[in-house]
Amino acid sequence: MLRSLSDVQADFAAALRDPAIPPPAGVVGPDGGPAPRRFAVYRNNVLVALGNALAGAFPAVGRIVGEEFFRAMARNYVLETPPTSPVLLDYGVTFPDFIAGFEPAASLPYLPDVARLERAWREAYHAADAKPLGAADLAGIPPEDLPDAVFSLHPSLRIVPSRFPIITIWRMNVSDVPPSPVDFAVGEDALIVRPDAEVEVRVVPPGGVAFVDALAAGETLGSAAVIGEASDSRFDLSGNIAGLISAGAFVDFRRQPEPAPW
Amino acid sequence: MSTARNLTTAVLAGAVTAAVASFAVPASAAEMEKCYGVSLKGQNDCAAGAHSCAGTATIDYDGQSFKLVPAGTCTDMETPFGPGSLEPIQRPT
């Protein structure tokens, strides 16, 4: 009986992921017999290619753990999480979560957050372009409109909070700066944005994560400021706004219509 | 009543004004001028023939070395040898 194409493909995919499964029927050599060694070459190519894609997307993680460890970790991830799309740009979205649950990496508790930063960097790099508002644009908003102003944030903007100094660790591992001792007690929340051609990574000031999250969720400036203050007593509204302007985080604003009084 | 009302318009306006004001300083070379005779040794931006370039001045307040400063501020700068100059000068003498 002829098997359906989807069944044949499912068998093929299963055999790719598990060497214990014999090569699917129809994978034959010139003699017409089964060709397990040829299939093994193909299986290895798939694993290596996807591992290379991860190594390219997570260079700091790769440098921190070393190539051998990274290869082994990537191989585990690839077998567990094959791509769901032919677009490799999106491959590895769940790699940071995988690392968080990967027992051999448990001695590096900051590693998942560094991976999240690298993932956010990549998303920012490929996000849509948008022209940021300048300081003068914000200065032009009538003061009475400010409490109800709703901002559109840059499409490339990402926030990665962390209780570890992930920006310091990341920078040290993607540049030629010689590594130096890091104070792991100091957390760094990262803001990643690509206002123009270059992706920028900045430290978010205290309360800034809640503030930016609120703005991104469409809260008005007034209520986002309240949320920021509530989240951290050190919250500095003016400093946060200045930081976001200089990062190119704002791209548009509108005045939220006053809700009807009834 | 929305939470926005917990912060007054004045507080928000003040915060935005202060944030915007922090960008009022000259940010690019277009708003800078070359100021001779004010840089400390090793901190100059470049020079008029006295040495090769940035950071290589070997004496303080060298009249041949300039530093980029915000436009309009050079000749108000005081040094032990007099104010800054927009042209190369001879000093220290």
Side-chain angles (χ1 to χ4, degrees):
Chain A
M1 184 187 139
L2 198 59
R3 305 178 65 239
S4 74
L5 176 61
S6 63
D7 282 350
V8 172
Q9 287 176 332
D11 284 354
F12 194 93
L16 272 183
R17 289 166 67 183
D18 186 352
I21 298 177
V27 174
V28 294
D31 61 355
R37 283 197 299 175
R38 291 180 178 216
F39 191 74
V41 168
Y42 182 73
R43 176 194 291 125
N44 190 55
N45 284 348
V46 170
L47 289 175
V48 169
L50 292 173
N52 285 346
L54 291 172
F58 297 92
V61 171
R63 180 165 160 191
I64 291 167
V65 301
E67 185 173 352
E68 200 181 344
F69 187 102
F70 190 88
R71 288 281 158 206
M73 184 163 67
R75 193 180 178 91
N76 276 274
Y77 175 73
V78 170
L79 289 171
E80 188 176 295
T81 319
T84 53
S85 150
V87 182
L88 281 186
L89 291 181
D90 294 329
Y91 190 56
V93 174
T94 57
F95 193 48
D97 292 340
F98 172 85
I99 294 174
F102 188 61
E103 194 62 39
S107 61
L108 305 173
Y110 54 84
L111 200 61
D113 285 349
V114 172
R116 288 185 183 102
L117 194 163
E118 297 208 284
R119 177 62 208 166
W121 192 100
R122 198 168 172 84
E123 289 177 5
Y125 186 77
H126 292 290
D129 289 334
K131 186 173 162 24
L133 297 180
D137 297 308
L138 269 86
I141 305 175
E144 63 272 21
D145 285 352
L146 285 173
D148 294 321
V150 174
F151 289 91
S152 304
L153 301 184
H154 200 284
S156 67
L157 189 141
R158 302 287 185 278
I159 296 279
V160 179
S162 181
R163 58 193 180 92
F164 300 104
I166 53 170
I167 299 179
T168 303
I169 295 169
W170 169 78
R171 239 184 253 296
M172 214 173 267
N173 285 286
V174 291
S175 64
D176 294 330
V177 182
S180 54
V182 171
D183 182 358
F184 285 98
V186 181
E188 288 172 346
D189 299 328
L191 181 148
I192 300 100
V193 67
R194 184 178 58 78
D196 190 23
E198 301 285 334
V199 176
E200 293 182 17
V201 178
R202 295 162 175 251
V203 180
V204 180
V209 170
F211 180 60
V212 175
D213 280 349
L215 290 174
E219 294 284 352
T220 62
L221 181 61
S223 67
V226 170
I227 290 166
E229 273 178 1
S231 84
D232 195 311
S233 59
R234 295 165 298 169
F235 180 71
D236 167 19
L237 178 58
S238 181
N240 269 275
I241 294 172
L244 290 173
I245 294 172
S246 100
F250 299 118
V251 295
D252 199 8
F253 69 91
R254 62 193 161 79
R255 191 179 178 283
Q256 177 105 313
E258 197 71 27
W262 56 83
Chain B
M1 178 169 165
S2 75
T3 51
R5 293 291 167 256
N6 291 342
L7 277 177
T8 64
T9 301
V11 168
L12 284 172
V16 170
T17 303
V20 166
S22 63
F23 293 89
V25 293
S28 70
E31 298 152 303
M32 308 292 273
E33 64 190 6
K34 294 178 183 179
C35 190
Y36 290 87
V38 296
S39 70
L40 298 177
K41 65 182 175 187
Q43 296 183 14
N44 62 305
D45 286 317
C46 211
H51 48 77
S52 60
C53 213
T56 55
T58 51
I59 39 178
D60 289 344
Y61 310 113
D62 175 19
Q64 299 292 306
S65 301
F66 69 76
K67 187 159 186 65
L68 289 172
V69 300
T73 64
C74 177
T75 53
D76 292 335
M77 288 186 186
E78 287 300 330
T79 80
F81 304 96
S85 165
L86 295 173
E87 300 293 330
I89 47 175
Q90 288 303 322
R91 81 175 185 206
T93 50

